[in-house]
Amino acid sequence: QVQLVESGGGLVQPGGSLRLSCAASGSSFVNYYMSWYRQAPGKERELVARMMTTDTGAIYADSVKGRFTISRDTAKNTLSLQMNSLRPEDTAVYYCNAEHAWVVGRNYWGQGTQVTVSS
């Protein structure tokens, strides 16, 4: 059974940093896109960052480019999101996602972790 478990959220002041982690189990996650999404109150869930492997690179939402970095440790089956220069508008529940590159239906979500940026 596939499980994604996020950790690392919390309260941080504007300009601060947080590192989110996602522990993945139940699959090797080879050929999966691994992503971070977020959902702020009253807003739709949006893609923050996505990657498959280090070699294929990553994509980022324009709002986080240059501030957030996604990384993946395939040996440990973990996904991370380093968030720097945090802003109040980054406040949201952050979700880890694993989506198979071509097998429809293999799309998994974690339970989410709250990130609050406030002074």
Side-chain angles (χ1 to χ4, degrees), residues 33-35 37 47-52 57-59 70 97 99:
Y33 291 106
M34 300 297 293
S35 307
Y37 284 76
L47 176 67
V48 175
R50 170 176 291 171
M51 70 179 298
M52 178 174 279
I59 61 170
I70 188 172
N97 172 264
E99 181 180 12

Side-chain angles (χ1 to χ4, degrees), residues 19-63:
R19 186 176 181 86
L20 304 183
S21 295
C22 173
S25 60
S27 174
S28 65
F29 297 98
V30 173
N31 298 319
Y32 277 79
Y33 291 106
M34 300 297 293
S35 307
W36 288 97
Y37 284 76
R38 67 185 181 186
Q39 187 167 19
K43 295 188 177 181
E44 293 188 354
R45 192 172 296 189
E46 64 173 353
L47 176 67
V48 175
R50 170 176 291 171
M51 70 179 298
M52 178 174 279
T53 68
T54 302
D55 291 340
T56 57
I59 61 170
Y60 295 91
D62 287 343
S63 58

Side-chain angles (χ1 to χ4, degrees), residues 60-73:
Y60 295 91
D62 287 343
S63 58
V64 307
K65 280 181 183 176
R67 300 188 298 123
F68 291 12
T69 303
I70 188 172
S71 60
R72 180 176 182 179
D73 187 331

Side-chain angles (χ1 to χ4, degrees), residues 8 38 48 82 87 93 95 108-109:
R38 67 185 181 186
V48 175
Q82 178 65 42
R87 305 167 180 169
V93 178
Y95 297 90
Y108 307 101
W109 294 91

